[in-house]
C-alpha cells in the first residue's frame, strides 16, 4: 500500500527528471524489507516500470538488474512486469532479454501463472519486429528455440498476436510474414489443432491479401474439430458486399479442405 501511495504521489509529469529524493529513498527502503514485504513493493513498482523508466530513466535503470532470475526479488519483479500494459524502451528490453528467454524456456526457480505467461510470450513475439530502423531486440532463432520448447498453448499465443497485428499491409510485410517464414518451427510435431486455429485466424484477417496468406499458412494447417463459426465468417460480407468465399472461392476451398476433417 505504501509503495502504491508513493508512486501515486509522483503525479502527472511534464518533463523527465530525477525522481523526487524523498520518494526515491522510501521506495528503495521498501525494496529492502525482509520476506514478502520487499517482494510486494517490487511487484507494485514493476507494474509501472515502463512509466517509471520513461519519466525517471536513471532511477528505473537500477530496477532492471532485479529481473535477473537469480535475484531475490526476481519472482516479484516478473509478476509485476507481466501486468505492465506498456513496453520498456528497446535499451531496457535488450538488457532483460536473457532473463526473459530463460524464464519462458522454464529455467526460472519460480512459476508464472497462465495469464502472465501468455502476455510474456506475446511480448517476446512482438520483440522480433524491427523498430525505428534498429535491429529487432529478439532474433528469429531465439524465438524458434523458445517455441520448440514450450507447449501448444504458448505457441498458439504467439500466433494469436500475429493475427491481431494483421491490421495493415505494413504489419503483414514487416512482421507477420517474416515471423512465420523465419521464426515458426517447421517440424510436423508442432502442427497442432491449437496452432491450426490461429493460422486460420491469420488468414481470416488477411483482407485483400487472402490468397497470399492462405498460400503461406497452408503447410501448417491440419484438421480441427468444432471450428465454430469459421466457415460462416469466411462468407461474411465486407464493405463491398462480398466475402472471401465469393471473392476467392478456390483459396477458400483450399483453406477449408485443410482444416475440416
Amino acid at each position: 500500500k505504501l509503495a502504491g501511495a508513493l508512486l501515486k504521489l509522483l503525479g502527472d509529469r511534464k518533463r523527465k527528471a530525477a525522481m523526487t529524493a524523498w520518494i526515491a529513498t522510501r521506495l528503495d527502503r521498501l525494496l529492502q524489507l525482509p520476506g514478502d514485504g520487499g517482494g510486494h513493493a517490487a511487484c507494485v513498482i514493476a507494474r509501472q516500470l515502463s512509466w517509471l523508466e520513461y519519466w525517471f530513466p536513471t532511477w528505473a535503470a537500477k530496477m532492471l538488474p532485479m529481473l535477473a532470475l537469480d535475484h531475490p526479488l526476481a519472482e516479484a519483479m516478473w509478476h509485476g512486469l507481466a501486468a505492465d500494459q506498456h513496453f520498456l524502451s528497446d535499451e531496457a528490453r535488450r538488457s532483460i532479454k536473457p532473463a526473459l528467454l530463460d524464464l519462458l524456456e522454464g529455467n526460472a526457480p519460480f512459476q508464472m501463472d497462465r495469464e502472465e505467461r501468455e502476455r510474456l510470450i506475446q511480448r517476446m513475439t512482438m520483440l522480433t519486429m524491427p523498430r525505428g530502423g534498429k535491429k529487432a531486440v529478439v532474433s528469429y532463432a531465439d524465438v524458434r528455440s523458445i517455441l520448440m520448447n514450450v507447449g501448444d498453448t504458448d505457441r498458439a499465443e504467439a500466433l494469436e498476436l500475429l493475427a491481431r497485428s494483421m491490421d495493415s499491409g505494413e504489419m503483414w510485410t514487416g512482421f507477420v510474414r517474416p515471423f512465420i517464414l523465419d521464426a515458426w518451427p517447421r517440424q510436423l510435431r508442432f502442427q497442432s489443432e491449437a496452432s491450426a486455429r490461429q493460422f486460420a485466424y491469420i488468414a481470416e484477417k488477411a483482407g485483400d491479401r487472402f490468397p497470399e496468406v492462405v498460400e503461406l499458412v497452408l503447410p501448417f494447417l491440419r484438421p480441427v474439430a468444432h471450428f465454430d463459426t469459421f466457415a460462416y465468417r469466411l462468407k461474411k460480407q465486407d464493405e463491398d458486399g462480398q466475402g472471401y468465399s465469393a471473392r476467392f472461392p478456390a483459396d477458400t476451398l483450399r483453406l477449408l479442405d485443410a482444416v475440416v476433417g
Side-chain angles (χ1 to χ4, degrees):
K1 290 181 179 180
L2 180 54
L6 289 169
L7 293 176
K8 191 173 183 179
L9 286 172
L10 291 171
D12 297 329
R13 315 300 303 179
K14 294 183 179 179
R15 61 184 179 84
K16 299 180 181 181
M19 183 180 288
T20 306
W22 62 270
I23 293 181
T25 300
R26 284 161 173 79
L27 290 174
D28 290 342
R29 182 66 63 86
L30 289 177
L31 292 170
Q32 297 170 21
L33 290 174
D36 292 341
H40 288 159
C43 187
V44 169
I45 293 169
R47 287 172 65 97
Q48 299 186 47
L49 191 56
S50 60
W51 183 86
L52 290 165
E53 190 207 11
Y54 182 81
W55 292 110
F56 312 105
T58 302
W59 186 87
K62 298 190 302 181
M63 299 292 294
L64 298 179
M66 298 180 189
L67 290 160
L69 299 187
D70 58 354
H71 193 281
L73 293 175
E75 180 175 4
M77 288 289 294
W78 279 107
H79 283 304
L81 189 62
D84 192 343
Q85 299 297 313
H86 304 286
F87 277 111
L88 294 167
S89 69
D90 280 354
E91 182 180 355
R93 288 184 287 186
R94 290 184 196 280
S95 74
I96 68 171
K97 167 190 158 182
L100 171 63
L101 297 182
D102 273 349
L103 175 61
L104 293 177
E105 200 153 11
N107 296 328
F110 53 85
Q111 297 290 323
M112 306 295 287
D113 68 32
R114 178 73 258 157
E115 188 174 343
E116 291 171 335
R117 189 171 175 83
E118 289 172 0
R119 292 197 199 103
L120 293 178
I121 286 284
Q122 292 190 355
R123 289 185 188 183
M124 175 195 69
T125 303
M126 183 62 75
L127 291 179
T128 63
M129 182 174 65
R131 289 156 36 101
K134 297 180 180 179
K135 184 179 178 181
V137 174
V138 178
S139 71
Y140 292 134
D142 286 333
V143 172
R144 185 165 55 252
S145 175
I146 297 297
L147 293 178
M148 292 172 68
N149 285 285
V150 298
D152 285 341
T153 303
D154 285 336
R155 283 189 289 272
E157 286 300 326
L159 294 176
E160 183 182 353
L161 177 71
L162 298 184
R164 289 194 281 107
S165 301
M166 292 276 291
D167 55 357
S168 69
E170 181 180 348
M171 290 297 286
W172 163 252
T173 304
F175 175 45
V176 180
R177 185 175 184 275
F179 187 95
I180 295 173
L181 286 173
D182 298 323
W184 186 257
R186 310 190 80 81
Q187 290 87 338
L188 288 175
R189 69 180 183 273
F190 300 122
Q191 295 182 18
S192 67
E193 284 199 20
S195 63
R197 288 177 182 274
Q198 294 303 331
F199 275 119
Y201 183 36
I202 290 172
E204 182 189 331
K205 300 274 286 183
D208 293 338
R209 297 175 179 269
F210 185 75
E212 178 187 356
V213 177
V214 170
E215 184 70 29
L216 181 62
V217 305
L218 209 57
F220 304 109
L221 298 178
R222 57 163 292 176
V224 176
H226 311 299
F227 224 129
D228 303 323
T229 59
F230 178 68
Y232 165 76
R233 295 197 302 271
L234 286 180
K235 68 177 183 178
K236 186 177 180 180
Q237 295 183 348
D238 59 18
E239 294 178 356
D240 297 325
Q242 289 187 311
Y244 290 136
S245 58
R247 297 177 62 196
F248 313 109
D251 295 296
T252 300
L253 287 174
R254 292 174 70 201
L255 180 61
L256 289 173
D257 186 51
V259 297
V260 177

